[in-house]
Amino acid sequence: MQQTFLSLDARQRNNWREAFPNLVCGRLDDVSAATGLVWVLQPAGHGVEGLVKRLRLSLAGRLLVLLADEPSEDDAMAALAAGASGYCNGHAAPEVLQQVAMAVENGGIWVGQGLMQRLLASTARLLPAHKIADSSWRTSLTPREQEAAVFLARGASNKEIARQLDITERTVKAHVGAMLEKLHVGAMLEKLGARDRMQLSLIINGIEKQR
Amino acid sequence: MQQTFLSLDARQRNNWREAFPNLVCGRLDDVSAATGLVWVLQPAGHGVEGLVKRLRLSLAGRLLVLLADEPSEDDAMAALAAGASGYCNGHAAPEVLQQVAMAVENGGIWVGQGLMQRLLASTARLLPAHKIADSSWRTSLTPREQEAAVFLARGASNKEIARQLDITERTVKAHVGAMLEKLHVGAMLEKLGARDRMQLSLIINGIEKQR
DNA sequence: CCGCCTACTGTACTGAAGTACGATAGGCGG
DNA sequence: CCGCCTATCGTACTTCAGTACAGTAGGCGG
């Protein structure tokens, strides 16, 4: 993925170029050529929230990482809340920048160690809460189907599920078929093909949305 | 799983019993008989943090949900930070209690809707950060294998992966086989049988650990 | 009583996945 | 040069998953 570094004066730093030899540098007031992952060097005296929001608008949803020469945890929080995918030191080592890019490109977010520890300390046990938001699949299934679903989501074979629930594989297949039906797996044309236990697992594990 | 409700006076409420007919009730000052999932009715005037910490110590790591008759978001945060797995209204409907138990027993945590929304608003984009911690699978795979892995983890068929990477299905199978090998899927005897893309998906999505 | 839902089950079939037998080709380091 | 690694690929086979044709039985509500 292309890395675009934006700053007031289109500067290019050694650590940036060392991390991404083919990077592109541009100016904050002209983001038309910005492609791929966009890194924004925070200008002094600018409110983080407004900056990030404005840029996200003009960048049309492209991934944005905020670079700060004087990192602050409050700014980090504001940037992330405004929609940035990452926040790190503008002078960070190349390896760190690469790590950030990797995480962000894979749908993750990145914040510095200090802030990460602070956030994780308060939210560490909240992370699995995501499962709750995505447990709506249960409302579509009968109790027995739910029992089978839990095993299936962990990768159990029909044979193993049958053993666990003391039923035949044939019945497991019936339950799986019901899940596929009720959770509308494979029903959308833009997601051709996949109508299998894998998609069920993704839904039950909260990685994909139920349709 | 056994549900144990602890309070100052070993009380038993209708909503509790309706949610869990076989519940056990006990007193806060004697947790020796507490088994399974432990629900603690918060006594008035008690600091949440100290209470939770003390109980977690005497409960030897058992799962603990704090019940509050006058729920407060600050108390919820404190309880969770102190290690509680859940925080909800002591008068909550039986269905809610069951939902809480289910979430907690499945490794999740539970907080009320208001706090959840507040936390999710500030942490929503932090949730995928969990992926960073579990991306060690990448270090075991070649770049090309990693590319295939990402598609596989999202449920793509070999045929679809082949199309995306402009290779044949045969090569996709080779990459999948390499993943299974390098990530040691199916190698442990206590997890008999499962040596397939499903297990790979669980590992890559951070749901199972790489062995 | 009837219809619907849930839970369970058999037989038969097709297709995808995984594995085993290979193979070629290029790059890199000793 | 050789060995190893990576990326790619063919043929053949077995097994599991998913689907289609059914079916029985019990509970519940209109």
Side-chain angles (χ1 to χ4, degrees), chain B residues 47-57 64 66 78-79 82-84:
Chain B
V48 170
E49 187 180 354
L51 173 69
V52 172
K53 278 186 174 171
R54 216 163 41 247
L55 282 170
R56 275 177 49 81
L57 219 58
L64 184 159
L66 198 66

Side-chain angles (χ1 to χ4, degrees), chain B residues 190-206:
Chain B
E190 75 265 14
K191 191 85 176 184
L192 286 175
R195 191 173 192 267
D196 55 14
R197 65 202 307 116
M198 178 72 88
Q199 295 297 323
L200 285 177
S201 172
L202 294 175
I203 291 172
I204 294 161
N205 286 322

Side-chain angles (χ1 to χ4, degrees), chain A residues 112-167:
Chain A
Q113 277 298 317
L115 182 55
M116 179 61 83
Q117 281 168 357
R118 170 175 145 193
L119 289 168
L120 287 180
S122 61
T123 64
R125 296 185 59 87
L126 297 183
L127 292 178
H130 192 59
K131 284 184 187 173
I132 300 184
D134 290 334
S135 63
S136 54
W137 56 269
R138 281 187 180 272
T139 60
S140 305
L141 304 181
T142 66
R144 198 62 164 157
E145 284 159 6
Q146 291 179 34
E147 287 178 33
V150 170
F151 289 109
L152 180 144
R154 283 298 189 274
S157 65
N158 288 341
K159 185 173 182 179
E160 176 63 22
I161 298 174
R163 196 181 68 79
Q164 293 284 343
L165 301 182
D166 196 27
I167 52 179

